[in-house]
Amino acid sequence: MLDKMLVKSCIKLNLKAKSKIEVIDELVDLLYSAGRLNDKEEFRKTILNREEQSSTGLEEGIAIPHGKSSSVKIPTVAFGLSKEGIDYDSLDGEPSKLFFMIAAPADATDSHIETLSQLTSLLLDDDIREQLLEVKTEQDVLDILLKEDKIGETLVQPEDENNSYEVLAVTACPTGIAHTYMAAEALNKKAKEMGVKIKVETNGSTGVKNRLTDEDIKNAKGIIVAADKNVEMARFSGKHVEIVGVKEGIKRPQELIEKALTQTAPLYSSKESSTSSSGTGERKGFYKHLMSGVSNMLPFVVGGGILIAISFIFGIKASDPSDASFSPIAKLLMDIGGGNAFFLMVPVLAGFIGMSIADRPGFAPAMVGGLISANNGGGFLGGLVGGFLGGYVVLFLKKVFAKLPEKLEGIKPVLLYPLFGVLITGVLMYTVVISPVAAVNSGITNFLNSLGTGNLILLGTIVGGMMAIDMGGPINKAAFTFGIAAIAAGNNYPHAAVMAGGMTPPLGIALATTFFKHKFSKEEREAGLTNYIMGASFITEGAIPFAAADPIRVIPSCVIGSALAGGLSMAFKCQLPAPHGGLFVLPIITNPLMYLLAVAIGSLVTCVLVGITKPSKNI
């Protein structure tokens, strides 16, 4: 059947296109000129709508734009070759050279769709791709693709009589022609190489094939859902399920299979989604956007925080050239960790939140929003606002610019979205977000000054708790500044409470990840270990990823523990004459053992509260 779908008149070996839109136009024109389309503009619109959902540019120089529409007269595959390569927004960021545009009628038969789908699966073969890059004539293309015995075979695997599949998978894309089957083929191929028994259910254009049975699900170690559209999910409740986009099934099948085998994916609960889920749909919720930012921010927190802690080994002020203890190594470590890695923490958080919301166009506006927050005292809470603001501003712009002529499609991601996205986000951050944050900061400072030293325990409780509210943001900085001002005035009690409150969140989180392992993912448990170092070094920001990921439970737990630690520090009459240092300045703290006890009690309280309130992940 493929010989009727792939014809010489729809093969072009010297594409003139220089951009993604030009490639689409050239191949659509090719199909129309060959008499395979009823309506050229309607089919072009179908292709562009598919690209809006996610680029069909894959790895290894392949792009497979495809669509199913009533504008298609005859099911066809158009092939185009660009020796130079064209930027098609591919998975690996490399130029695409082999272009297969698949045109399927709205009423295409199962056999048509399966043949087209299996053709795309062939492109995973390295040899076939290499041969196609060297073709000289249209007949060469036909000879390479039509001689393959695989065309016409089914992708559906034979049933295992014992239902003993180790790994199950579900693949699905919006059109159900190309990516669905390429992901299935990639997973099947890699599983065979690894000696793993796998069963892959495809949710394609012609419906569900190779459906997973209840017995399959019961016996499987883990499940992979590589989907960009809704699939039935309630059946997987209680199983380890890794949910990703369909492209990830093509791009990293081995990693996904290994996760399924080792059961490192989260346990899926039907409460999360009563009937369906998808790789892209999972990212639509507030929590998923938040986690996208947090997971990408984490390396900056860990790397920068540990470098700052190491710099303190040379002396608390060893990074200051004007201090007698100055060390060039300490300054270098502080510049890298504090001046750069930590500085990028909030912008990166915001940028990836925006990208999760609005895909790549949302990254720049959101990151600028986070940078504005970081530069103007907004802290990580201001960064969260900037991230969501930037992402939703771009979603708004997508709706507005959808009314523009289709010829302007190409300038949207490179000009319109970044220009207006950055402008609108920046204006709103400066005019709406930053001023209220600054007012809150000023008001808190005035309130602390009004307390004086008349009630030290109350004061210690308040400044200790403030250190945990936004962990490096304006409220935290207000308490820290108050403590420094108190030292300058000759009162060393408040800053001891400030530091106790600041050390408690990361230490409490570290303890929680150690003693309540089932409440945290593997990544979180690993990050928790670094919080022992960061907490001991008075780097409160170590707890930010955990607070950002689950603010409702983590922040109150940290505030309570920090407030208790600060109040106890005051009750034990501990004094701290140094502005920073954590345990490195313990020798100069009055009543050091009682001070350690205050921090330990606060940290344990935070640990227990987090452990009690967080839901179990069982991983």
Side-chain angles (χ1 to χ4, degrees):
M1 185 175 289
L2 183 62
D3 58 344
K4 296 179 181 179
M5 298 183 192
L6 183 63
V7 294
K8 287 185 180 180
S9 59
C10 292
I11 297 175
K12 194 165 188 179
L13 302 181
N14 55 343
L15 289 174
K16 297 177 182 178
K18 301 297 182 184
S19 69
K20 181 175 182 176
I21 294 298
E22 290 177 0
V23 172
I24 291 172
D25 287 343
E26 195 167 350
L27 291 178
V28 170
D29 286 341
L30 188 64
L31 287 167
Y32 186 72
S33 299
R36 317 294 275 197
L37 303 177
N38 293 313
D39 187 330
K40 179 172 71 173
E41 288 305 316
E42 182 62 28
F43 184 66
R44 181 178 182 275
K45 197 174 294 184
T46 299
I47 293 291
L48 291 175
N49 287 338
R50 174 61 185 87
E51 294 297 326
E52 278 287 326
Q53 296 175 51
S54 64
S55 175
T56 57
L58 305 176
E59 294 181 308
E60 308 294 344
I62 299 172
I64 309 180
H66 53 276
K68 188 177 181 183
S69 168
S70 58
S71 59
V72 177
K73 186 188 303 183
I74 305 169
T76 308
V77 179
F79 172 72
L81 174 64
S82 171
K83 291 290 183 70
E84 296 179 0
I86 299 166
D87 182 3
Y88 203 87
D89 193 21
S90 60
L91 274 175
D92 55 9
E94 296 296 320
S96 298
K97 297 181 179 182
L98 301 172
F99 299 89
F100 291 83
M101 179 171 283
I102 299 175
D107 58 352
T109 64
D110 286 9
S111 58
H112 281 142
I113 296 299
E114 287 180 6
T115 300
L116 291 172
S117 302
Q118 291 154 18
L119 168 64
T120 62
S121 298
L122 285 180
L123 300 177
L124 295 172
D125 190 307
D126 295 339
D127 292 336
I128 291 177
R129 291 197 305 271
E130 291 298 324
Q131 291 174 42
L132 288 172
L133 287 172
E134 301 300 325
V135 294
K136 304 297 183 184
T137 67
E138 289 82 359
Q139 187 60 47
D140 291 343
V141 176
L142 298 177
D143 290 343
I144 292 169
L145 295 175
L146 296 182
K147 75 177 181 181
E148 291 298 325
D149 293 334
K150 294 179 183 178
I151 295 294
E153 290 181 3
T154 179
L155 284 174
V156 178
Q157 303 153 281
E159 291 288 330
D160 187 297
E161 294 180 0
N162 300 319
N163 295 102
S164 57
Y165 300 106
E166 298 170 273
V167 176
L168 303 179
V170 179
T171 62
C173 76
T175 309
I177 296 175
H179 292 70
T180 300
Y181 298 95
M182 292 187 78
E185 181 70 11
L187 289 165
N188 280 326
K189 184 177 178 181
K190 184 57 65 175
K192 186 175 181 180
E193 291 176 10
M194 298 169 66
V196 175
K197 286 187 176 182
I198 190 171
K199 180 177 180 180
V200 184
E201 173 184 297
T202 55
N203 283 238
S205 177
T206 57
V208 176
K209 303 290 184 183
N210 212 28
R211 182 179 290 277
L212 305 179
T213 66
D214 292 342
E215 194 68 20
D216 293 334
I217 296 169
K218 178 182 176 182
N219 295 331
K221 291 181 179 179
I223 299 167
I224 302 162
V225 175
D228 285 341
K229 71 172 187 178
N230 287 339
V231 298
E232 186 183 349
M233 291 293 292
R235 53 186 168 155
F236 301 141
S237 185
K239 302 294 292 186
H240 293 275
V241 182
E242 184 73 15
I243 303 173
V244 297
V246 68
K247 284 186 180 180
E248 298 303 305
I250 303 170
K251 183 179 179 181
R252 50 190 186 97
Q254 181 169 339
E255 180 185 339
L256 296 175
I257 292 170
E258 287 173 348
K259 282 189 174 183
L261 289 172
T262 56
Q263 298 185 321
T264 53
L267 277 177
Y268 185 80
S269 170
S270 59
K271 294 179 182 178
E272 297 174 29
S273 176
S274 59
T275 58
S276 63
S277 187
S278 71
T280 53
E282 286 292 309
R283 295 194 292 267
K284 292 179 181 177
F286 174 85
Y287 179 74
K288 288 299 179 182
H289 301 321
L290 203 56
M291 286 306 298
S292 177
V294 170
S295 62
N296 285 285
M297 174 185 71
L298 201 57
F300 294 87
V301 177
V302 174
I306 292 178
L307 288 175
I308 293 171
I310 294 173
S311 76
F312 289 148
I313 295 175
F314 296 88
I316 301 307
K317 295 185 178 181
S319 61
D320 184 357
S322 63
D323 192 82
S325 65
F326 172 69
S327 165
I329 297 177
K331 184 179 187 305
L332 178 63
L333 293 171
M334 182 62 74
D335 287 346
I336 297 171
N340 292 282
F342 254 39
F343 179 74
L344 286 172
M345 179 175 64
V346 171
V348 167
L349 169 71
F352 280 95
I353 288 175
M355 188 172 178
S356 175
I357 294 169
D359 294 323
R360 197 176 303 181
F363 183 77
M367 192 166 188
V368 170
L371 187 61
I372 291 172
S373 175
N375 283 331
N376 293 275
F380 102 90
L381 291 179
L384 287 177
V385 175
F388 281 96
L389 182 62
Y392 284 110
V393 161
V394 172
L395 283 187
F396 169 74
L397 290 174
K398 285 185 175 183
K399 292 182 179 179
V400 172
F401 294 142
K403 301 176 183 178
L404 293 177
E406 290 182 6
K407 291 294 182 184
L408 298 178
E409 266 317 301
I411 70 169
K412 288 181 184 179
V414 297
L415 176 63
L416 299 182
Y417 294 150
L419 172 60
F420 290 100
V422 169
L423 174 63
I424 296 172
T425 301
V427 168
L428 291 174
M429 286 296 293
Y430 276 115
T431 59
V432 178
V433 178
I434 296 300
S435 295
V437 168
V440 169
N441 187 18
S442 176
I444 290 171
T445 302
N446 293 334
F447 169 71
L448 291 175
N449 287 327
S450 70
L451 285 177
T453 58
N455 192 329
L456 291 178
I457 295 178
L458 174 61
L459 179 61
T461 300
I462 292 174
V463 296
M466 287 172 61
M467 292 298 291
I469 292 176
D470 59 354
M471 305 173 192
I475 299 175
N476 171 286
K477 289 296 185 286
F480 184 81
T481 302
F482 176 79
I484 297 298
I487 291 176
N491 180 2
N492 296 332
Y493 290 101
H495 202 62
V498 166
M499 191 168 81
M503 293 169 67
T504 294
L507 288 174
I509 292 295
L511 290 169
T513 60
T514 299
F515 294 105
F516 297 94
K517 292 182 179 181
H518 59 292
K519 300 296 181 84
F520 299 91
S521 67
K522 181 181 178 182
E523 182 185 44
E524 288 171 332
R525 293 197 297 271
E526 291 172 350
L529 294 176
T530 66
N531 269 308
Y532 282 112
I533 299 172
M534 298 174 81
S537 304
F538 184 27
I539 302 174
T540 315
E541 288 87 345
I544 287 179
F546 298 88
D550 192 0
I552 301 300
R553 299 179 180 89
V554 173
I555 291 180
S557 300
C558 290
V559 170
I560 293 170
S562 292
L564 181 59
L568 288 173
S569 173
M570 286 290 200
F572 297 150
K573 299 188 183 326
C574 299
Q575 299 183 62
L576 172 64
H580 211 296
L583 294 184
F584 295 103
V585 295
L586 191 63
I588 63 173
I589 298 176
T590 56
N591 296 325
L593 294 180
M594 298 307 291
Y595 188 75
L596 283 177
L597 180 62
V599 173
I601 291 174
S603 300
L604 286 171
V605 168
T606 292
C607 166
V608 172
L609 289 175
V610 169
I612 292 174
T613 57
K614 278 185 73 68
S616 176
K617 290 191 177 182
N618 292 321
I619 56 176

